[in-house]
Amino acid sequence: MQIRAGYDIAFQCAQETPMILMLSIHPSRVKDLQSPHSIQFSHDVQAHDYLDMFGNTCTRIVAPPGLIEIKNDFLIFDSGLPDAAPPPGPLQPVGELPDDVMVFLLGSRYCDTQKLSDLAWSLFGHIEDGAARVQAIVDYAHQRIEFGYHHARNDRTAFEGHEERIGVCRDFAHLAVTLCRCMNIPARYCTGYLGDIGVPIDPAPMDFSAWFEVYLVNKWYTFDARHNHPRIGRIVMARGRDAADVAISTNFGPTPLVRFTVVTEEVFSEASPAVAPMWMVA
């Protein structure tokens, strides 16, 4: 299938402000693009990309004072298959894990493993199968937290989400990631596009979504503690230890967000209109 995705975001800058943007799709999905993928700005700013320590594409700019608008609109191919389930099997011993996954066993800014370790072992320690243990963790996080956009808070840790029992998709992901790490299962936080494809349409405005991946049987597998159901059409943008590593923007100065629109939708016909050209404002 083809998916149309993109965004229209605007910040109000009080002064010239350096910014790091993580608004590109992940390099692993570039091969699936069906149209140009290019971040467009409402001012002629100098932008350059680099790869961070996790292999994500980051864009650096210095935004001028005033309103800066950031847009993208592209088509991408997707298999149309739901998230793959891992096969049953015992957990891989920590001593046999690859070097590059070890960091995803450690506590991080929003994944405060030391506060949830005893709880995790009491709840999930009896489950020997790796896939079953992860699913039990996902079920627990899904049931523990009540979703609501009005519950959003950008500094809530996994432990706080567990205790407050409210949150948005990032809080579900942080809690599940943290509980997995407590159980010696490498887990990494993911952010990207997830449209209502193959499921009832959510009337709430579209947003970027958060989910997570675990390393089982020598491979990374996708899980989603908020939806707790295999989904179609995920487009990953970035992966990291937690939300601090994959923020859509890191602004080095006051930059209130004044507009935020995200689009993710299936394109049903080859006769559908082409992606609209982006515009530039001098």
Side-chain angles (χ1 to χ4, degrees):
M1 66 168 61
Q2 277 194 335
I3 296 173
R4 174 179 174 251
Y7 47 81
D8 181 354
I9 302 171
F11 296 94
Q12 185 70 39
C13 301
Q15 59 196 26
E16 190 173 76
T17 306
M19 304 174 71
I20 300 174
L21 306 174
M22 204 169 287
L23 289 168
S24 296
I25 63 169
H26 193 267
S28 62
R29 292 303 304 269
V30 169
K31 66 182 183 302
D32 297 323
L33 285 170
Q34 305 291 295
S35 72
H37 176 287
S38 177
I39 302 175
Q40 305 291 329
F41 302 93
S42 59
H43 294 276
D44 188 17
V45 299
Q46 296 295 313
H48 78 269
D49 293 343
Y50 69 93
L51 295 181
D52 70 6
M53 68 183 76
F54 301 107
N56 304 310
T57 299
C58 304
T59 303
R60 291 185 60 178
I61 67 169
V62 177
L67 185 72
I68 182 166
E69 298 169 293
I70 308 169
K71 297 185 178 185
N72 203 343
D73 197 341
F74 60 93
L75 293 175
I76 190 168
F77 172 80
D78 191 81
S79 69
L81 299 175
D83 304 322
L91 285 172
Q92 191 169 353
V94 172
E96 298 177 6
L97 291 170
D99 295 340
D100 61 346
V101 307
M102 294 299 291
V103 67
F104 299 109
L105 286 174
L106 307 179
S108 54
R109 179 174 177 180
Y110 295 115
C111 297
D112 37 0
T113 52
Q114 71 279 9
K115 293 183 178 180
L116 288 166
S117 182
D118 290 344
L119 173 69
W121 281 99
S122 70
L123 292 174
F124 313 113
H126 66 285
I127 305 173
E128 296 184 1
D129 180 83
R133 182 179 286 185
V134 174
Q135 187 57 57
I137 289 171
V138 171
D139 292 342
Y140 180 81
H142 180 76
Q143 296 163 9
R144 181 75 185 182
I145 297 177
E146 174 189 330
F147 178 86
Y149 287 111
H150 58 290
H151 298 320
R153 201 182 88 212
N154 63 10
D155 61 351
R156 183 183 288 123
T157 67
F159 177 75
E160 290 169 340
H162 182 271
E163 297 303 297
E164 296 172 17
R165 306 193 68 164
I166 55 175
V168 291
C169 55
R170 62 177 268 160
D171 299 297
F172 287 83
H174 282 151
L175 179 56
V177 165
T178 303
L179 293 172
C180 283
R181 292 179 187 172
C182 289
M183 302 304 299
N184 295 332
I185 302 170
R188 60 190 185 188
Y189 181 98
C190 304
T191 186
Y193 299 88
L194 180 60
D196 297 321
I197 299 173
V199 297
I201 301 297
D202 187 337
M206 184 65 64
D207 195 354
F208 291 121
S209 188
W211 60 88
F212 73 106
E213 296 173 349
V214 298
Y215 191 80
L216 292 172
V217 201
N218 297 312
K219 187 177 178 180
W220 290 100
Y221 288 91
T222 296
F223 284 86
D224 188 331
R226 178 198 165 186
H227 297 104
N228 198 13
H229 183 78
R231 293 290 293 268
I232 296 170
R234 293 186 198 273
I235 306 170
V236 66
M237 296 167 69
R239 302 181 176 103
R241 293 166 296 187
D242 57 31
D245 289 332
V246 298
I248 64 168
S249 69
T250 302
N251 310 323
F252 300 91
T255 52
L257 181 67
V258 298
R259 188 169 69 247
F260 184 84
T261 303
V262 177
V263 174
T264 313
E265 58 190 13
E266 183 179 358
V267 177
F268 289 97
S269 171
E270 293 182 359
S272 299
V275 177
M278 303 307 299
W279 47 265
M280 299 284 287
V281 175

